[in-house]
Amino acid sequence: MTDTLRTPPTAHHRRPFARNPQLWEKKRSRALRTGHVRDDTCSAACELVLVHEHTPWGWLAWTVPADGSAPQTPHQIAVLTPHATRGQRLAPRWLSRRPARRVALAAVPGALRLSAAAIAVLSVMAGLLGMSRGVPAGIALPAMLLAPLLAEHVPDRLDTRAREHVHMVEGSGPCHHLQHLAALHTSLSQAAAECDRYELRRSAELGHGLLWDAASLLRHQDVHAAPARLAAHERLLLQLVHQAGQTLQHCTAEQGAVGKNTGGETGAPRLPDPAPSPAPHRAASAPLAKGPLLMPPPQPGPSPTQDVYLLFAHAPYYPGPGTREINTTVVAADSLLHPRVCQPDGRKIHHLLVQGRQPGEIVPLSTLTHELDGGARWPTVGDWERVTTDLVQLVRCGSCDALSLGLPEITRALLCAGPHSRVRTRDAATDRPIDYGSAARAAALADVSVLLERLVAERPFWPGDDLVSPLKVSGGSDSQP
């Protein structure tokens, strides 16, 4: 079965105002003149100037580095509630306004908003002017007193109401993950704008809902706190982008046929330009992050299948401060027999994984999906999502050996696709499509194999302790998953 996956354009939101660099330079210059920019002397208490990039679904708030470079990760991302009313759409504009400056007055305890102080002065002048022209003092004096009080407290009430319709996420890890999901949703929104079809409009609506839910998860938790749900959101967005790409192809063909029949020229809609992609056939040559391998000495396991390995993608996480993103993991097949992995699902997937494999072979989870009729027979084998989530937890707590990788998006898409699938993207420089097929996928696996062989040469992978017994290869009622 061949499945053409159009990978999402990654140029969206990888840097501030990617579609309009001049606007970023303009806002950056203004920030340098009027506010405090981030440098080495900044602490967590520093009030930084944030440049807000507004989008149809919310905003991205970027800091302004003192060295003149563009930030790679937003300081804050906010997502507006799906199906927002006209009034609710004003919430992002209100919440992203410049913070009010406060002034200390000798006669007033604490500090007063500068706007409230200005309104107090204006209300006194207006009240005196009104009384001089015959306005009763019973009306003018209460108005003079209430105007500054309203200016001081009403904005806080409006802030509270506006935050009910916006999910704001802060922190390097959560923002980095939501930044990736936002790029996928933006590609859906732009595809819907390019071609007015119900399928594309509905995909954009669903993408906004997934982005809203992901922001809700990340608002109160780390990226790795709910990995299964975040991974499911990412998979659904990737599927929506894939479907949008196919719909755009049909739309392009139809408009081209209309243009040919009418003798006119019809512009073909396309997905937005992606970021520069890695060279084909060597997609895994980008730097890869190695996971924890200094584990306790291995103990004998019940099965001689430690030379077969499972590769699977998962929600990105960061092992520690300043470390590279980890989004893909390779474990020994016997790690599926660990008692802390969902059983008997782990045993059944292990049985499927080791049958007919070559020594040292790395088997991606997508290969198993392909062998199970494109995933149709997964329910008869086991819950692979729960099993892979358990494996990630084992690796993170040091209960088994693993090769942890930070793969580029093209490479990850290749390994998440089936053996005969194709990944399609566009060259940002030439605007020409680039297809990555089976050869590119095999090359990516070969690069991972080189890394794995170097580690195994030092010491075989330790799958963990107290493993459960595997299913029998032949004979018995449990010989088949």
Side-chain angles (χ1 to χ4, degrees), residues 407-479:
L407 296 179
E409 292 189 52
I410 296 295
T411 306
R412 193 164 181 253
L414 282 168
L415 297 180
C416 289
H420 307 298
S421 299
R422 305 189 67 81
V423 172
R424 178 176 297 173
T425 185
R426 283 185 177 273
D427 190 327
T430 63
D431 200 30
R432 294 180 179 178
I434 301 176
D435 284 342
Y436 301 83
S438 301
R441 186 178 187 268
L445 273 176
D447 286 343
V448 176
S449 297
V450 170
L451 289 175
L452 184 63
E453 289 171 2
R454 294 174 184 171
L455 300 175
V456 175
E458 299 174 3
R459 192 191 72 213
F461 263 32
W462 170 55
D465 296 328
D466 303 321
L467 305 182
V468 301
S469 60
L471 295 177
K472 296 178 181 179
V473 176
S474 61
S477 60
D478 60 351
S479 61

Side-chain angles (χ1 to χ4, degrees), residues 123-124 126-132 135-146:
S123 65
V124 169
L128 294 176
L129 180 61
M131 286 189 292
S132 66
V135 176
I139 296 177
L141 290 177
M144 292 166 57
L145 295 174
L146 287 175

Side-chain angles (χ1 to χ4, degrees), residues 314-373:
H314 49 77
Y317 69 88
Y318 295 82
T323 58
R324 187 187 300 274
E325 170 188 290
I326 300 300
N327 54 36
T328 307
T329 298
V330 181
V331 297
D334 283 358
S335 293
L336 289 162
L337 303 175
H338 199 285
R340 287 165 56 188
V341 172
C342 176
Q343 302 296 348
D345 298 16
R347 297 176 69 208
K348 293 180 179 180
I349 297 175
H350 172 271
H351 182 86
L352 179 67
L353 179 69
V354 301
Q355 298 304 304
R357 311 298 178 184
Q358 298 297 319
E361 183 175 357
I362 300 176
V363 183
L365 184 66
S366 59
T367 298
L368 300 183
T369 300
H370 171 74
E371 294 172 354
L372 293 171
D373 297 336

Side-chain angles (χ1 to χ4, degrees), residues 9-15 18-19 179 182-184 186-187 190 272-273:
T10 55
H12 299 305
H13 313 315
R14 295 192 72 175
R15 60 183 186 276
R19 304 296 249 174
Q179 180 184 15
L184 299 179
T186 298
S187 68
Q190 293 200 357
D273 297 335

Side-chain angles (χ1 to χ4, degrees), residues 226-250:
R229 294 186 64 183
L230 291 173
H233 282 65
E234 182 178 6
R235 282 194 303 274
L236 288 172
L237 279 168
L238 284 169
Q239 291 173 3
L240 289 173
V241 172
H242 170 45
Q243 294 171 2
Q246 292 180 325
T247 303
L248 280 177
Q249 288 179 349
H250 293 309

Side-chain angles (χ1 to χ4, degrees), residues 18 23 49 63 94 128 144 148 196 255 303 324 353 401 432:
L23 183 57
V49 171
T63 57
W94 173 259
L128 294 176
M144 292 166 57
D196 186 20
Q255 291 190 3
S303 166
R324 187 187 300 274
L353 179 69
D401 280 352
R432 294 180 179 178

